[in-house]
Amino acid sequence: MAEDHTAHAPCHRERIVGGTTVVELRGEIDILTAPAVTARLDALTARPHPDLVLDLRPVTFIDCTGVGLLCRTRNRTVARGGRLRLVTDSACFRRILHGTLLSGVFEVYGHLSDALGGRTEGAALPT
């Protein structure tokens, strides 16, 4: 019997806060859902000097494909002279970054306000 993975499809919400694009990802980020997330993040990192914050607090699961898309997003951002920050309160996700030797590669914050330098109000963008 085929599984229905639409219930696990990640959704996101975007807003601009002081020139920074904040993308809140929710749900599971895995081999089935990563292509849609990758497409959106590729679009956001296509311009020069992208300034992104990925809020991962609502993410319930991330596998190696999800970690790979975070690396891709970081590489595209850095290649275009931009900045990427991750927000997570998950000790498990932090252990994944540590275990894969990526903890020093990403800017990781526990609170959105810290990642934004104290700014949290912004305009919502259509998703």
Side-chain angles (χ1 to χ4, degrees):
M1 180 152 94
E3 289 185 53
D4 178 15
H5 292 282
T6 57
H8 301 290
C11 54
H12 74 282
R13 186 176 69 176
E14 293 177 31
R15 62 186 170 127
I16 302 291
V17 179
T20 299
T21 303
V22 178
V23 180
E24 179 186 281
L25 297 172
R26 288 176 255 140
E28 297 183 2
I29 303 176
D30 59 17
I31 195 166
L32 296 173
T33 61
V37 176
T38 299
R40 184 61 195 138
L41 294 177
D42 279 0
L44 291 171
T45 58
R47 66 186 191 283
H49 311 290
D51 188 12
L52 295 175
V53 171
L54 300 183
D55 187 351
L56 304 174
R57 292 173 297 169
V59 170
T60 57
F61 176 82
I62 189 166
D63 69 2
C64 60
T65 304
V67 172
L69 84 82
L70 295 177
C71 289
R72 175 186 174 88
T73 302
R74 182 209 170 268
N75 292 343
R76 288 174 56 86
T77 301
V78 170
R80 289 162 179 81
R83 184 176 178 201
L84 172 68
R85 278 97 68 211
L86 306 179
V87 179
T88 183
D89 54 9
S90 169
C92 180
F93 181 69
R94 287 178 183 264
R95 280 193 305 274
I96 289 170
L97 290 179
H98 182 73
T100 56
L101 304 177
L102 294 172
S103 58
V105 172
F106 291 99
E107 286 185 62
V108 181
Y109 297 88
H111 300 282
L112 182 59
S113 62
D114 293 337
L116 292 169
R119 299 168 292 152
T120 58
E121 296 301 318
L125 298 176
T127 56

